[in-house]
Amino acid sequence: MPDHDSTALLSRQTKRRRVDIGVKRTVGTASAFFAKARATFFSTMNPQGSEQDVEYSVVQHADGEKSNVLRKLLKRANSYEDAMMPFPGATIISQLLKNNMNKNGGTEPSFQASGLSSTGSEVHQEDICSNSSRDSPPECLSPFGRPTMSQFDMDRLCDEHLRAKRARVENIIRGMSHSPSVALRGNENEREMAPQSVSPRESYRENKRKQKLPQQQQQSFQQLVSARKEQKREERRQLKQQLEDMQKQLRQLQEKFYQIYDSTDSENDEDGNLSEDSMRSEILDARAQDSVGRSDNEMCELDPGQFIDRARALIREQEMAENKPKREGNNKERDHGPNSLQPEGKHLAETLKQELNTAMSQVVDTVVKVFSAKPSRQLPQVFPPLQIPQARFAVNGENHNFHTANQRLQCFGDVIIPNPLDTFGNVQMPSSTDQTEALPLVVRKNSSDQSASGPPTGGHHQPLHQSPLSTTGFTTSTFRHPFPLPLMAYPFQSPLGAPSGSFSGKDRTSPESLDLTRETTSLRTKMSSHHLGHHPCSPVHAPSTAEGLSLSLIKSECGDLQDMSEISPYSGSAMQEGLSPNHLKKAKLMFFYTRYPSSNMLKTYFSDVKFNRCITSQLIKWFSNFREFYYIQMEKYARQAINDGVTSTEELSITRDCELYRALNMHYNKANDFEVPERFLEVAQITLREFFNAIIAGKDVDPSWKKAIYKVICKLDSEVPEIFKSPNCLQELLHE
DNA sequence: ACTAGTCCTG
DNA sequence: CAGGACTAGT
């Protein structure tokens, strides 16, 4: 085979591999991102964290004294974080598990070391994915995909896998071959094992060798494997059990926290502590019942230390139940509570984190709902404007709901909201149904309105993104696009960069939603200022770290800060910030008059639109698309005429019943409710003849032969009737 | 550097 | 119809 071919093959392979890598990187970086996000979150929670230097503190908003107290408490949790941060899935649960394991005489000493470096975590993930569940990435991807248990398992499996690998490498070195099963991913393995390994060709040969390896090797290897497998199975069983226990405990901790938190936060309220208030009340109710009957049985499963903690908490709990119905007073708890709660600090920290996260989720959720509800005249029933409650995290047994809500957030919150909650290893696997729930939100937001009256919320995006989104987008955790935000590109145009942008246009009709949005915006701002650090306004930030995904889109579409600043003063005015389908329709009708409108002209004719670069370029793009279609039709029909034997342009004319006209009319005036001006027919005819002549003259061999025609046509623009300047021109035009 | 425009793709 | 790559003009 010629070298050329093999080279081509190589490059192709390389290409493909790059693609693969790309995918995996998406995956890997996604997990890395989660890790990072989580790290950020935790560091947020642990201002004194030994590893993270982010000096953010959620407790910032509490008064100094209190924050100190909290810090003290949280500090105690640091020791936990250190080891587990790196691994995305490693969390409190796994941490607890570790403890348990040690207590029970952990069988896997190396477990602790696994994933101690962030890179390590990635490698592990990758390994896992590549080996165990290549075809079902969700399992290894989603941090909350499988219960933590599986993460845990995988951790161990990983280790096993590495060892197996090592063994294999040794075998190779001894001049032995691999087992066929390994050869499945021969290239990958080789890459991992011997990065500097020879040429691809070599590896190809290697692969071939692998195919026919001695049976002896196979047998011994398989023996080894099976032995390990049994071991692992055994461990796995144990771990599963432990995990379940821990989950129970966790749930209890959560309850405790809500109690504590409830008493504590009456202070926090002063600085507008998110929407916890609203949520709290609901939780409390549910919690009250749960917490009573619940903990007894599980007490016996706790560690001694935890038992004590639990006991104390229980006592407090009861006191609280008696002393204060909701939140009144109960100062004693608060006064000495945090300080004397040392042993419980850990729990408090955990639960605090959770609560905060929940709150955040809530906020975002709210925003989403507002979004979806506002434009949804057509689907108001699905998501009433502000019904956070039911999505609220129910402490006991209702994790599912919470999870769902949370995931919904992540649909566009991946970048924004690290979700430590996954780390709690919710028992339920986020099924695809979970995620599909998120769909309506995004989709609705996009699709909901427009058709009716063309609400301002970036209608242009809707038709497009809707289907792809709903069909693939968020249905599986596989597609945890680090940056779904572009979907809401325009709606996000608010100066805050929060998903509140689009209200301005709409609020005329629904001031309440405006308020709502503003409220959530402010909340959201708070959150983001905490969790996004200094980039509350740049959704771009996070994804960029994860992967440069969609960056250009954001940048080009709405990342323009100048535009943002332009917008803000107008928000609330009558100016629309997006182009609606009606605008599109109008543009199409205008095309009958002008094929090459200047941007200034567009501005005058779309006076109801708040122009910025995005809008302008979009409008221009529209007309560009119109032209494209127009010219394509012209060329098509010109060639057709030529094929039909037409020899003279004289034979070419465009009437209202010719095919070409119908095609054009169908495109620009689909409803046929607008009377196409005569002039357009003339222009079309001229265009057709231009094409005809050019083709006849053989000019079409020149790649840019059309440009000459364009030049001619662009001079044929006529005045657009004044009526088009009216924002209501459509009604006026079409009702005539 | 920025924009308008084209071409291609999905 | 939108995105993105690319070009040409300023």
Side-chain angles (χ1 to χ4, degrees):
Chain A
M1 187 185 257
D3 218 6
H4 169 71
D5 281 353
S6 63
T7 312
L9 188 72
L10 273 184
S11 72
R12 250 199 313 248
Q13 283 177 341
T14 312
K15 229 179 184 176
R16 237 188 55 198
R17 190 151 62 196
R18 284 179 70 179
V19 172
D20 285 348
I21 291 169
V23 173
K24 271 212 278 188
R25 261 189 53 210
T26 307
V27 162
T29 47
S31 60
F33 168 73
F34 277 113
K36 195 173 285 179
R38 192 166 289 110
T40 309
F41 182 83
F42 276 113
S43 67
T44 298
M45 297 301 301
N46 303 304
Q48 305 167 349
S50 49
E51 291 189 357
Q52 287 80 22
D53 50 3
V54 189
E55 255 307 305
Y56 265 81
S57 171
V58 172
V59 268
Q60 270 178 348
H61 59 269
D63 52 49
E65 184 187 0
K66 186 164 181 181
S67 87
N68 279 338
V69 170
L70 282 177
R71 284 175 192 229
K72 269 186 193 171
L73 290 174
L74 296 179
K75 188 176 172 188
R76 307 191 69 236
N78 271 353
S79 55
Y80 285 95
E81 257 77 86
D82 290 347
M84 63 196 211
M85 279 327 312
F87 193 77
T91 62
I92 294 161
I93 289 257
S94 37
Q95 191 56 44
L96 292 173
L97 276 175
K98 276 191 213 167
N99 289 345
N100 253 19
M101 288 221 351
N102 290 339
K103 189 183 65 187
N104 300 342
T107 43
E108 189 77 39
S110 60
F111 164 72
Q112 299 248 3
S114 67
L116 268 180
S117 74
S118 53
T119 51
S121 73
E122 272 191 59
V123 169
H124 283 210
Q125 292 256 342
E126 206 168 312
D127 263 352
I128 293 159
C129 290
S130 56
N131 281 285
S132 58
S133 52
R134 216 146 186 250
D135 294 333
S136 52
E139 285 187 59
C140 45
L141 297 187
S142 70
F144 38 78
R146 266 263 188 75
T148 320
M149 161 179 53
S150 69
Q151 305 251 3
F152 189 94
D153 271 353
M154 290 205 259
D155 215 344
R156 307 173 56 77
L157 287 174
C158 239
D159 192 62
E160 287 297 326
H161 172 68
L162 285 177
R163 276 199 234 154
K165 250 198 234 162
R166 234 172 271 138
R168 289 198 299 272
V169 174
E170 288 172 6
N171 283 348
I172 295 170
I173 292 174
R174 284 189 218 115
M176 296 147 74
S177 329
H178 300 266
S179 99
S181 63
V182 180
L184 283 178
R185 286 172 38 80
N187 272 340
E188 298 265 14
N189 279 331
E190 281 177 18
R191 241 189 346 177
E192 291 165 15
M193 295 185 302
Q196 77 287 11
S197 74
V198 271
S199 71
R201 204 176 281 179
E202 281 286 329
S203 62
Y204 176 67
R205 255 182 281 150
E206 190 95 6
N207 274 343
K208 269 198 167 174
R209 273 208 310 269
K210 288 174 201 163
Q211 307 282 338
K212 24 175 171 168
L213 75 159
Q215 272 202 331
Q216 285 180 346
Q217 308 297 341
Q218 235 175 349
Q219 283 177 357
S220 63
F221 180 75
Q222 281 175 355
Q223 280 176 359
L224 206 145
V225 169
S226 62
R228 285 179 192 277
K229 268 186 187 168
E230 277 200 72
Q231 250 188 340
K232 279 186 282 182
R233 244 175 267 152
E234 182 59 26
E235 291 168 7
R236 218 176 294 171
R237 245 173 275 136
Q238 290 180 358
L239 292 174
K240 274 184 188 173
Q241 242 190 337
Q242 290 170 357
L243 177 68
E244 285 170 17
D245 294 351
M246 303 321 275
Q247 284 169 341
K248 282 181 193 169
Q249 295 176 21
L250 229 180
R251 260 175 253 142
Q252 291 181 330
L253 289 179
Q254 290 165 356
E255 300 167 22
K256 301 295 172 329
F257 167 74
Y258 286 122
Q259 308 271 345
I260 297 171
Y261 189 79
D262 179 56
S263 64
T264 353
D265 80 329
S266 49
E267 279 189 353
N268 288 359
D269 291 342
E270 48 192 13
D271 39 316
N273 222 350
L274 309 181
S275 55
E276 280 127 339
D277 271 32
S278 51
M279 334 191 251
R280 210 178 307 115
S281 47
E282 295 125 24
I283 323 159
L284 274 178
D285 300 338
R287 207 185 317 138
Q289 307 160 349
D290 288 324
S291 55
V292 176
R294 198 156 210 300
S295 16
D296 304 9
N297 346 345
E298 289 153 339
M299 281 299 197
C300 52
E301 303 169 12
L302 301 173
D303 280 344
Q306 289 175 322
F307 184 89
I308 294 174
D309 295 349
R310 175 75 41 92
R312 279 189 200 163
L314 259 182
I315 294 172
R316 251 204 340 275
E317 204 175 309
Q318 288 172 358
E319 284 178 357
M320 281 162 54
E322 292 170 3
N323 293 343
K324 61 123 204 193
K326 281 272 168 164
R327 75 174 55 174
E328 39 183 7
N330 187 12
N331 287 331
K332 67 177 173 190
E333 161 77 18
R334 193 175 38 211
D335 289 344
H336 63 89
N339 287 324
S340 63
L341 282 184
Q342 292 278 342
E344 291 151 11
K346 187 173 58 189
H347 301 298
L348 178 59
E350 309 305 338
T351 43
L352 238 185
K353 289 172 198 167
Q354 195 169 351
E355 175 60 14
L356 281 165
N357 184 61
T358 308
M360 279 210 306
S361 310
Q362 217 53 50
V363 173
V364 179
D365 219 14
T366 305
V367 172
V368 176
K369 279 184 183 149
V370 169
F371 253 70
S372 54
K374 188 175 13 173
S376 69
R377 268 168 223 177
Q378 299 157 350
L379 325 161
Q381 72 284 8
V382 185
F383 284 97
L386 193 56
Q387 243 197 2
I388 327 155
Q390 107 284 38
R392 178 62 187 158
F393 179 29
V395 184
N396 283 323
E398 280 309 308
N399 300 4
H400 204 59
N401 267 353
F402 171 79
H403 208 119
T404 300
N406 231 23
Q407 282 179 325
R408 202 179 294 142
L409 297 177
Q410 289 193 340
C411 280
F412 60 55
D414 277 295
V415 274
I416 303 168
I417 303 181
N419 183 4
L421 225 255
D422 352 327
T423 66
F424 280 82
N426 282 316
V427 195
Q428 289 86 351
M429 175 111 163
S431 64
S432 56
T433 47
D434 276 326
Q435 296 236 338
T436 47
E437 259 189 80
L439 301 185
L441 284 170
V442 184
V443 173
R444 205 176 329 107
K445 188 197 65 49
N446 280 337
S447 64
S448 45
D449 50 47
Q450 307 316 351
S451 47
S453 76
T457 35
H460 45 288
H461 270 300
Q462 297 165 0
L464 238 181
H465 291 290
Q466 182 170 354
S467 54
L469 230 189
S470 52
T471 54
T472 62
F474 300 105
T475 49
T476 74
S477 46
T478 325
F479 181 73
R480 296 211 67 73
H481 195 302
F483 201 33
L485 281 169
L487 295 170
M488 290 79 122
Y490 288 130
F492 274 69
Q493 275 178 342
S494 96
L496 289 169
S500 55
S502 66
F503 57 66
S504 65
K506 187 78 178 189
D507 42 349
R508 322 176 259 187
T509 56
S510 62
E512 107 185 310
S513 61
L514 169 59
D515 290 340
L516 230 175
T517 322
R518 280 196 177 135
E519 183 182 331
T520 50
T521 298
S522 66
L523 293 179
R524 164 56 181 280
T525 311
K526 258 190 188 176
M527 296 316 297
S528 44
S529 67
H530 283 313
H531 292 273
L532 273 186
H534 305 283
H535 302 270
C537 294
S538 69
V540 178
H541 173 65
S544 68
T545 59
E547 183 154 16
L549 255 168
S550 298
L551 264 189
S552 57
L553 174 67
I554 299 302
K555 201 173 101 189
S556 66
E557 292 243 334
C558 59
D560 193 324
L561 286 180
Q562 291 179 351
D563 290 341
M564 303 275 216
S565 57
E566 276 176 24
I567 292 167
S568 54
Y570 286 87
S571 57
S573 79
M575 296 282 263
Q576 293 200 359
E577 290 175 10
L579 291 167
S580 70
N582 279 341
H583 287 124
L584 176 59
K585 193 171 183 178
K586 179 178 172 180
K588 283 178 172 179
L589 296 185
M590 284 175 64
F591 184 79
F592 285 128
Y593 299 91
T594 174
R595 266 63 57 187
Y596 290 87
S598 67
S599 58
N600 278 336
M601 179 182 174
L602 291 175
K603 279 174 187 169
T604 62
Y605 279 92
F606 290 89
S607 54
D608 60 330
V609 178
K610 170 76 191 77
F611 269 81
N612 56 40
R613 275 184 220 167
C614 294
I615 302 294
T616 308
S617 55
Q618 192 189 1
L619 266 173
I620 289 174
K621 180 78 179 180
W622 277 359
F623 276 89
S624 177
N625 285 332
F626 298 160
R627 283 192 298 270
E628 192 172 11
F629 178 83
Y630 176 79
Y631 288 131
I632 286 174
Q633 296 300 316
M634 291 300 166
E635 181 182 358
K636 194 168 102 184
Y637 280 91
R639 290 188 186 279
Q640 190 174 309
I642 294 172
N643 286 339
D644 289 347
V646 176
T647 53
S648 162
T649 58
E650 306 305 318
E651 304 175 42
L652 288 175
S653 67
I654 290 185
T655 63
R656 291 183 189 268
D657 52 1
C658 78
E659 212 178 328
L660 175 53
Y661 172 83
R662 266 186 253 134
L664 294 174
N665 192 52
M666 182 58 71
H667 191 73
Y668 306 113
N669 182 26
K670 194 166 279 180
N672 201 23
D673 47 9
F674 177 77
E675 192 187 338
V676 179
E678 201 64 34
R679 170 70 177 161
F680 178 74
L681 294 180
E682 298 171 18
V683 174
Q685 184 167 309
I686 295 172
T687 312
L688 182 60
R689 289 180 177 180
E690 286 289 333
F691 268 94
F692 180 87
N693 286 333
I695 294 171
I696 289 289
K699 289 179 184 171
D700 56 340
V701 294
D702 179 358
S704 57
W705 64 285
K706 292 178 184 174
K707 285 186 179 171
I709 303 176
Y710 297 163
K711 256 184 190 169
V712 174
I713 304 306
C714 74
K715 290 171 186 164
L716 301 179
D717 280 6
S718 48
E719 276 289 303
V720 179
E722 285 292 313
I723 190 174
F724 278 92
K725 289 181 179 172
S726 159
N728 297 324
C729 68
L730 274 185
Q731 284 75 16
E732 299 170 29
L733 280 171
L734 303 180
H735 290 165
E736 272 174 4

